[in-house]
Amino acid sequence: MTGQTTPILEVDDISLRFGGVRALSNVSFNVNKGELFSIIGPNGAGKTSLLNCVSGRYSPQEGSIKFKGQEVTKMTPNHRAELGMGRTFQNLALFAHMSVLDNIMVGRHHLMKNNFLSGGIYWFGGAQKEELIHRREAEDIIDFLEISHIRKSVAGTLSYGLRKRVELARAVALRPDLILLDEPMAGMNLEEKEDMARYIVDLNEEWGMTVIMIEHDMGVVMDISERVMVLDFGKNIAEGLPHEIMSNDYVKRAYLGEEDDADENASDEVA
Ligand SMILES: Nc1ncnc2c1ncn2[C@@H]1O[C@H](COP(=O)(O)OP(=O)(O)OP(=O)(O)O)[C@@H](O)[C@H]1O
């Protein structure tokens, strides 16, 4: 999908410190509406910190973040979610004791006028009808991510790969305009990675979601991303098309090691 030039996210000169540790230093970048944008970099480079600043979990000491043209730097994560920002986490954050379907319904909670968890008043008024509509939407997502066979399973009993897929389903359930994915393929086998890559591309191309993805698997990143940004020691050291990133000398030295043949590196898992 060709990115249009309208930025959906504008990150301007943000810096984040934890005591004496500078996790991010003057990082700026834009993500265009409809793009599939990846962030790579070695362990500890600041990738998750950056995603946490975008989603509102962390608050940068300097700089500004705009989402859909609106200043969100001081906004709570919930408020950003209401504006259309969804995310998954590096470490799974599912409700382990709940079914797959219920985990996905929790993801739709922001969109429901009558909170699905709100007990007593739940069956009165329009709540029952509203829940049916939301269940139908949840079932669409279940079909799309091919998890119908486990829809009633308790999330905590599933394999790691399936739990990652359910977590994606829950983030998708919010129907975000921008979805932030933190290492969606970590810990997966090759087949699971291929499936996940396909879902992410479909979300981007068919569902029209703008995607920002942190991922260590360089093969997948270079294969499916429209643009890639490289973080190193909290700084944005390169940004460009996948082939530009692969041939950038600084990137090769700082991130990919001293190998000369960038194509060979493309299939390696880095970091
Ligand atoms: N909550 C925190 N408190 C203190 N230091 C933190 C916190 N979160 C991140 N850091 C520090 O900020 C730096 C960047 O960490 P971050 O997790 O963002 O890197 P990363 O690129 O996502 O790494 P990885 O690939 O290992 O997930 C590291 O030095 C880390 O120790």
Side-chain angles (χ1 to χ4, degrees):
M1 182 177 202
T2 306
Q4 296 149 21
T5 47
T6 324
I8 191 167
L9 185 76
E10 297 159 84
V11 174
D12 186 24
D13 210 19
I14 63 165
S15 294
L16 176 73
R17 287 178 296 277
F18 297 103
V21 177
R22 276 187 87 88
L24 298 169
S25 300
N26 307 101
V27 174
S28 299
F29 66 100
N30 284 354
V31 177
N32 293 325
K33 196 164 177 291
E35 254 189 327
L36 203 168
F37 185 90
S38 290
I39 302 171
I40 62 170
N43 290 118
K47 304 179 298 295
T48 298
S49 297
L50 180 56
L51 221 59
N52 282 337
C53 288
V54 172
S55 71
R57 210 172 187 208
Y58 291 166
S59 202
Q61 282 90 2
E62 287 146 38
S64 93
I65 299 171
K66 283 189 186 153
F67 178 52
K68 297 181 182 169
Q70 192 172 338
E71 179 67 57
V72 297
T73 321
K74 303 279 179 227
M75 218 177 249
T76 62
N78 275 353
H79 198 166
R80 293 182 210 206
E82 280 161 18
L83 287 180
M85 206 189 275
R87 75 167 291 178
T88 65
F89 293 87
Q90 192 173 356
N91 301 309
L92 287 161
L94 287 173
F95 294 106
H97 60 285
M98 283 167 60
S99 73
V100 166
L101 179 61
D102 284 345
N103 266 284
I104 296 169
M105 289 297 282
V106 171
R108 288 196 66 78
H109 154 242
H110 281 295
L111 304 174
M112 296 171 87
K113 284 202 290 290
N114 298 285
N115 187 337
F116 132 92
L117 299 170
S118 64
I121 56 161
Y122 167 66
W123 291 104
F124 298 100
Q128 196 175 3
K129 191 171 162 209
E130 189 193 13
E131 206 225 341
L132 281 176
I133 293 166
H134 283 282
R135 276 197 183 260
R136 220 168 287 141
E137 281 276 335
E139 296 291 354
D140 282 351
I141 292 160
I142 284 172
D143 284 347
F144 165 65
L145 289 170
E146 298 170 305
I147 46 177
S148 304
H149 58 298
I150 51 153
R151 56 198 287 291
K152 291 200 171 144
S153 303
V154 175
T157 64
L158 300 170
S159 71
Y160 185 77
L162 278 176
R163 276 184 285 154
K164 292 283 271 190
R165 213 189 293 180
V166 174
E167 209 202 355
L168 177 64
R170 193 177 59 182
V172 168
L174 181 68
R175 292 288 182 144
D177 300 312
L178 171 66
I179 190 163
L180 312 170
L181 306 175
D182 196 349
E183 298 195 29
M185 282 130 205
M188 289 189 166
N189 64 35
L190 188 63
E191 196 185 341
E192 289 170 333
K193 279 184 186 179
E194 282 171 1
D195 285 343
M196 186 56 95
R198 182 164 49 86
Y199 298 133
I200 292 169
V201 168
D202 284 352
L203 280 177
N204 177 243
E205 292 186 350
E206 287 173 26
W207 293 46
M209 282 182 202
T210 306
V211 177
I212 301 181
M213 172 175 85
I214 295 176
E215 183 50 54
H216 281 295
D217 188 310
M218 294 292 283
V220 173
V221 167
M222 296 304 162
D223 221 23
I224 70 173
S225 310
E226 265 180 87
R227 277 193 309 136
V228 179
M229 179 173 87
V230 187
L231 278 188
D232 193 35
F233 291 108
K235 293 197 171 107
N236 175 354
I237 62 161
E239 200 180 319
L241 302 172
H243 73 269
E244 292 168 343
I245 295 299
M246 292 304 289
S247 57
N248 178 301
D249 283 342
Y250 190 28
V251 171
K252 280 201 255 179
R253 274 198 309 277
Y255 182 47
L256 300 172
E258 290 298 324
E259 301 278 345
D260 287 324
D261 188 346
D263 286 332
E264 251 175 47
N265 287 326
S267 60
D268 290 344
E269 179 114 0
V270 180

